[in-house]
Amino acid sequence: MAVLREVVGETLRGLRLRQRRTLREVSSQARVSLGYLSEVERGQKEASSELLASIVSALNVDLSDLFVEVSSQLRRREKLERLEPVRHFSNTSPTSHDFGRLAA
């Protein structure tokens, strides 16, 4: 299952790299520590809405546009996950995760 903080981080990193900007530039402009921004981009930290607003402002992007891109990425990943073959386990009772795949 796709983890929201990872998709947000990947999306932020993609935006920054497309602008050919460094972590240092964006962290300075967003007033966020370089280390913390790096952790957010790697999906290790879940950023608050205030922090996200500061980062996207530094990237000259609307917060709503970030969420549109994140939503699109999540939708693609969920569709791919549904296409994966159902795993078969040696135990007799499927997990709740398996029920979700079977229902798709």
Side-chain angles (χ1 to χ4, degrees):
M1 175 186 283
V3 178
L4 181 60
R5 73 174 182 275
E6 292 174 356
V7 177
V8 168
E10 290 168 7
T11 304
L12 288 171
R13 176 173 281 173
L15 288 167
R16 179 179 60 77
L17 293 175
R18 281 192 293 268
Q19 294 179 12
R20 297 178 184 231
R21 298 188 53 203
T22 66
L23 270 172
R24 187 171 309 281
E25 289 175 302
V26 175
S27 68
S28 176
Q29 193 169 358
R31 297 181 186 214
V32 175
S33 77
L34 185 129
Y36 194 81
L37 179 56
S38 176
E39 289 178 312
V40 168
E41 283 192 358
R42 288 181 281 136
Q44 295 177 337
K45 296 284 184 185
E46 192 148 357
S48 69
S49 57
E50 292 87 359
L51 181 68
L52 285 175
S54 182
I55 295 168
V56 296
S57 176
L59 292 167
N60 299 312
V61 174
D62 291 331
L63 187 57
S64 58
D65 290 333
L66 172 71
F67 289 140
V68 166
E69 180 63 26
V70 167
S71 176
S72 177
Q73 290 294 327
L74 283 171
R75 185 171 290 116
R76 278 189 216 111
R77 290 180 187 204
E78 289 168 346
K79 285 180 181 178
L80 287 173
E81 288 173 1
R82 283 194 294 268
L83 294 176
E84 288 179 1
V86 176
R87 294 184 190 133
H88 297 282
F89 297 96
S90 59
N91 63 6
T92 57
S93 61
T95 65
S96 60
H97 181 71
D98 294 324
F99 283 118
R101 288 186 176 196
L102 295 173

